[in-house]
Amino acid sequence: MEARYEPRRLEAKWQQIWEETRLFDAAEDPDRPKYYVLEMFPYPSGRIHMGHVRNYTIGDVVARYKWMRGNNVLHPMGWDAFGLPAENAAQKAGIHPARWTYDNIDYMRGQLKALGYSYDWRRELATCDPDYYRWEQLVFLEMFRQGLAYKKMSPVNWCPQCRTVLANEQVEDGACWRCDSEVVLKELEQWFFKITDYAEELLGDLDRLEHWPERVITMQRNWIGKSFGAHIHFPVQGEAEPLTVFTTRQDTLLGATFMSLAPEHPRALALARGTPQEAEVRRFVEHWGAVNKSRGALEDVTKEGVFTGRYCVNPVTGWDLPIFIANFVLMGYGTGAVMAVPAHDQRDFEFAQKYGQRITVVIQPPGEELGADILTQAYEDEGVLVNSGPFSGQESAPAREAIAAYLAEKNLGAPAVQYRLRDWGISRQRYWGAPIPIIYCEACGAVPVPEADLPVVLPLDVEIRQVGASPLAELESFWRTTCPACGGPGRREVDTMDTFVESSWYFLRFACPDYAQGILDPARVNYWSPVDQYIGGIEHAVLHLLYARFFTKVLRDLGHVNLAEPFARLLTQGMVLKDGAKMAKSKGNVVDPSDMIQTYGADTTRLFLLFAAPPERDLEWSDQGVAGAHRFLHRVWSLTHTILPDIQNVPAYEGIGTDFSPGLWEFRHKVHQTIKKVTEDIEGDFHFNTAIAAAMELVNAFYQTLEALPREELTFRVWREAIEVLVKLLNPMVPHIAEELWQILGNDTSLQLQTWPAAQPEALMESAFTLVVQVDGKLRGKIVVPVSATDEELKTWALNDPSVQKWLKGEPRRVILAKRKLVNIVT
RNA sequence: GCCUGGGUGGCGGAACGGGUAGACGCAAGGGACUUAAAAUCCCUCGGGGGUUACCCCCGUGCCGGUUCGAGUCCGGCCCCAGGCACCA
């Protein structure tokens, strides 16, 4: 009597066994190669969504596979637990952020356990736990000591109505997302991490990340934005101090006809002082200086400017260049001043036309003759220099070198490198985050909290009421303290750290989450790191993955880890879509993983997510596809029970099958081909979809074989071998049913402890193959031939095949044999 | 505008360095079993055509090229998704 496949009962059973036997606890072991697989940890938002399930299932397959391959696997899970939604929930529902967060963690942990993931739960950590962020505070202090953490004035998004700073994500079309009032830029003192110190290494090491997706590398490269060019000093008439610009096109220097400054340029107002333009300049600067330039709203804004009444001098041509303030010049890039070359920069061209400025062509495209009078737009490509004195006739690239050298020699400038990357502002005027461990003192300034006083614990006895603002500033018991340096009155920093700080190093802490003597336990972190395989969404391509790389290098330089790059391999999995759109509550297309587990079980849910698309591609959810996955598991279940009486008391076949009937040999051949295929698909680029397809083919072949093969002991022994192979191959993907079937087959140790099957070379060998015959590249016939045939025999048989002969027109001109697989006859 | 991906049946997707296009699954149609349904099993399943146990023509976004042979390589376009974007 066949037992029913009851996923819920059987999954609960195995989850309990794995937990009770501590099967997935990881420990350092010098005798086995370590393998650290990690999925990006979740924010405890309330419930696991299908995107999480996809992410963690991919990681779990990798972990369980590597395990069976003999690796010492580390596979941890934790919670990125600080963040704004907790505060919002607190205001809305009156629950304390800590309570809300920990309740969510408890619930979501249960959901993850119901999916049967192979985590070492002893290592679970939550970043809002003082035992975690105390070490983060220590990292901050060490960075502060090295000058890598510093404070400076910086513009932030400020809502005057709510009287709080807003994150970029909370500004919608320049207005506060809550009260819809206009957001202004406000200068505030903010803490920064000096990521720009690492710009060069972060850029250079991208070349070493061979197993990262190309697009992530490209995105990071663009984000860092390294440009080669020159600084050029333009003397200002009547002033000692020149204006310095950065340009990548110093080859166009002799075509510079005016100068543009950013509205926020420190000398903008000073230059206009005393000129007739002063009032107009002041109005312009006030207007445009207040507009937030960091966001997209400026795209459609027309180019505007105002003349300052002052001139500077083109250091090579000696021309007087009027100095403008222009709304399109960015203070945050380069020097905030640009030389305007209207003939060769579209922005400058438009500006020059509007304000009647001179246009001089200094670059000629090949085979064309440009003139200032006929230009309808700027020519921005490279070419040959003209009207450029001694540099005329040179190509752009060598001219850039020559002009930079000339400038350096005359002390008029120097070659320069410019990065787009800016320092990382980490101050958040928020409550639910890690406190920044600094005390302000009238006498001593910003003083680090002594290491012995860590952690600076985030107080829980606060009332969350004011919209969005941190309550820490109002909590005197928190901020009132004494200066650690002089003992005088002190005031704690009330800002908290950006939550991206926590996720910048959690993967290292997983190696030693219980370590109480410091940030990282050197022995353990150096054993486990780097993460061999990191898996997560593409949305973190720049921010998290760049910060994590930065932090790893900082921690290396601080002596905590012996590592330059944290993630050896990166897999960015695609989104889970339903009806063509990302699952979202607002769209009403959410499928709840817990419902799927209830209806079909964790194994079916996992199997569908692995089978429906390759991991890096978006996946379209299909209820019918899930049913199909379930049907396959049923087939495997029934197959095992069908053959069970026959194979119960026979050992698995172990020979090389030379004395087999053709049918039996063919079946065993399929078994070993499947081993090869599944192994290669997983090893290659995690092509689980085709690995599962191969397993399905094996099951189909198995069913066909049940009737076809003679019912004798040899058959049963091969069946036994085949079913054991099948169950092992399926284990990483659908571990519960695999374990259950393994037990039903009479084994009493966990399937997870078995070694991965190896394809037997003898069983992979072919005695015959299908020769494809083409005539003039068109398929005309197929012949089954023995592998022992010679090349000449293959050609002869192809030519003599009846279905081929009718296409031949006399003597063929050529006969091509390709890879002993295909013959093409050219007539 | 720039940078990544990607365009293959009704659908999700296969096809290792150029060599049988459509594996595997879903949906659909037909059949078996059943009093009936569900479940299960079997067959068909890119389009068109024919002399229909077989065979032919067309077919991987579009146009051209290389090659005995192109989904795959080269050149030129078109469309979709994502990222960056007044970066001098």
Side-chain angles (χ1 to χ4, degrees), chain A residues 433-557:
Chain A
I436 295 172
I438 290 288
I439 293 165
Y440 299 104
C441 166
E442 289 276 322
C444 312
V447 179
V449 172
E451 195 177 325
D453 293 350
L454 295 183
V456 177
V457 176
L458 184 69
L460 297 180
D461 56 334
V462 292
E463 196 188 337
I464 318 285
R465 42 186 185 82
Q466 205 190 350
V467 183
S470 169
L472 291 179
E474 294 166 46
L475 197 68
E476 195 173 334
S477 60
F478 175 75
W479 61 256
R480 185 179 290 285
T481 184
T482 52
C483 171
C486 69
R491 205 185 156 89
R492 280 189 198 282
E493 171 67 81
V494 293
D495 285 354
T496 52
M497 283 190 250
D498 182 0
T499 55
F500 275 101
V501 179
E502 282 90 60
S503 54
S504 292
W505 71 289
Y506 77 105
F507 46 89
L508 296 173
R509 186 70 188 173
F510 269 141
C512 50
D514 57 345
Y515 189 58
Q517 283 81 56
I519 296 163
L520 296 168
D521 179 354
R524 283 189 280 170
V525 77
N526 286 322
Y527 174 81
W528 288 113
S529 63
V531 174
D532 293 278
Q533 180 66 56
Y534 199 34
I535 306 161
I538 185 69
E539 65 272 20
H540 296 109
V542 174
L543 291 175
H544 162 60
L545 288 169
L546 188 68
Y547 294 150
R549 294 180 60 222
F550 164 59
F551 243 66
T552 301
K553 292 170 192 302
V554 168
L555 287 167
R556 173 202 61 194
D557 291 344

Side-chain angles (χ1 to χ4, degrees), chain A residues 608-671:
Chain A
F608 171 73
L609 288 169
L610 294 165
F611 180 59
E616 66 278 4
R617 289 251 282 261
D618 286 351
L619 181 153
E620 176 69 30
W621 184 267
S622 157
D623 291 329
Q624 284 153 334
V626 178
H630 193 64
R631 204 145 46 220
F632 171 67
L633 294 181
H634 244 290
R635 269 168 76 76
V636 176
W637 181 267
S638 297
L639 173 67
T640 310
H641 285 86
T642 303
I643 60 171
L644 193 57
D646 293 327
I647 64 170
Q648 215 152 16
N649 297 311
V650 298
Y653 183 78
E654 283 178 343
I656 55 173
T658 44
D659 51 344
F660 281 7
S661 68
L664 187 60
W665 193 90
E666 202 54 47
F667 174 65
R668 186 160 184 268
H669 179 64
K670 181 76 182 173
V671 172

Side-chain angles (χ1 to χ4, degrees), chain A residues 22-89:
Chain A
R22 310 298 321 161
L23 187 61
F24 298 109
D25 289 359
E28 298 74 42
D29 176 357
D31 296 330
R32 280 185 301 161
K34 69 94 185 175
Y35 194 91
Y36 182 3
V37 55
L38 182 67
E39 302 104 55
M40 292 180 184
F41 66 165
Y43 178 77
S45 56
R47 299 178 74 81
I48 294 290
H49 59 69
M50 208 53 87
H52 289 129
V53 179
R54 189 179 190 199
N55 189 177
Y56 308 151
T57 299
I58 292 166
D60 199 49
V61 178
V62 175
R64 288 173 179 270
Y65 170 76
K66 286 292 176 182
W67 184 299
M68 291 177 81
R69 292 303 302 248
N71 287 94
N72 187 26
V73 173
L74 174 60
H75 188 208
M77 181 44 76
W79 310 95
D80 191 12
F82 274 135
L84 208 49
E87 286 183 64
N88 295 338

Side-chain angles (χ1 to χ4, degrees), chain A residues 273-568:
Chain A
R273 193 159 297 135
T275 70
Q277 278 77 17
E278 180 173 356
E280 202 189 336
V281 169
R282 184 171 302 281
R283 249 178 285 127
F284 187 87
V285 166
E286 276 170 10
H287 175 71
W288 288 104
V291 177
N292 185 351
K293 297 197 147 197
S294 65
R295 200 161 302 105
L298 279 169
E299 264 172 70
D300 320 318
V301 173
T302 48
K303 289 166 185 46
E304 278 182 41
V306 60
F307 178 48
T308 58
R310 300 290 296 274
Y311 293 85
C312 62
V313 179
N314 184 317
V316 180
T317 62
W319 294 338
D320 292 343
L321 311 186
I323 302 171
F324 284 81
I325 314 297
N327 63 349
F328 63 89
V329 180
L330 303 173
M331 192 59 223
Y333 183 79
T335 62
V338 295
M339 65 176 199
V341 185
H344 305 294
D345 182 289
Q346 186 59 24
R347 294 158 298 180
D348 296 340
F349 183 80
E350 288 168 26
F351 195 89
Q353 288 204 314
K354 185 165 181 176
Y355 294 99
Q357 294 302 301
R358 188 171 160 188
I359 300 174
T360 306
V361 171
V362 291
I363 305 286
Q364 287 292 6
E368 262 187 90
E369 187 82 4
L370 295 181
D373 43 342
I374 61 158
L375 277 187
T376 55
Q377 56 173 24
Y379 174 73
E380 297 190 322
D381 289 341
E382 308 204 334
V384 175
L385 272 66
V386 294
N387 303 325
S388 295
F391 306 106
S392 292
Q394 293 195 37
E395 293 279 343
S396 289
R400 279 197 290 273
E401 307 258 331
I403 290 174
Y406 173 85
L407 292 168
E409 186 194 317
K410 302 273 180 191
N411 248 345
L412 297 168
V417 167
Q418 182 69 41
Y419 296 93
R420 206 186 73 105
L421 182 69
R422 326 254 182 94
D423 279 340
W424 174 14
I426 59 145
S427 293
R428 295 291 179 271
Q429 292 69 33
R430 296 288 172 190
Y431 164 67
W432 192 234
I436 295 172
I438 290 288
I439 293 165
Y440 299 104
C441 166
E442 289 276 322
C444 312
V447 179
V449 172
E451 195 177 325
D453 293 350
L454 295 183
V456 177
V457 176
L458 184 69
L460 297 180
D461 56 334
V462 292
E463 196 188 337
I464 318 285
R465 42 186 185 82
Q466 205 190 350
V467 183
S470 169
L472 291 179
E474 294 166 46
L475 197 68
E476 195 173 334
S477 60
F478 175 75
W479 61 256
R480 185 179 290 285
T481 184
T482 52
C483 171
C486 69
R491 205 185 156 89
R492 280 189 198 282
E493 171 67 81
V494 293
D495 285 354
T496 52
M497 283 190 250
D498 182 0
T499 55
F500 275 101
V501 179
E502 282 90 60
S503 54
S504 292
W505 71 289
Y506 77 105
F507 46 89
L508 296 173
R509 186 70 188 173
F510 269 141
C512 50
D514 57 345
Y515 189 58
Q517 283 81 56
I519 296 163
L520 296 168
D521 179 354
R524 283 189 280 170
V525 77
N526 286 322
Y527 174 81
W528 288 113
S529 63
V531 174
D532 293 278
Q533 180 66 56
Y534 199 34
I535 306 161
I538 185 69
E539 65 272 20
H540 296 109
V542 174
L543 291 175
H544 162 60
L545 288 169
L546 188 68
Y547 294 150
R549 294 180 60 222
F550 164 59
F551 243 66
T552 301
K553 292 170 192 302
V554 168
L555 287 167
R556 173 202 61 194
D557 291 344
L558 292 170
H560 295 295
V561 65
N562 181 17
L563 187 71
E565 284 292 338
F567 312 121

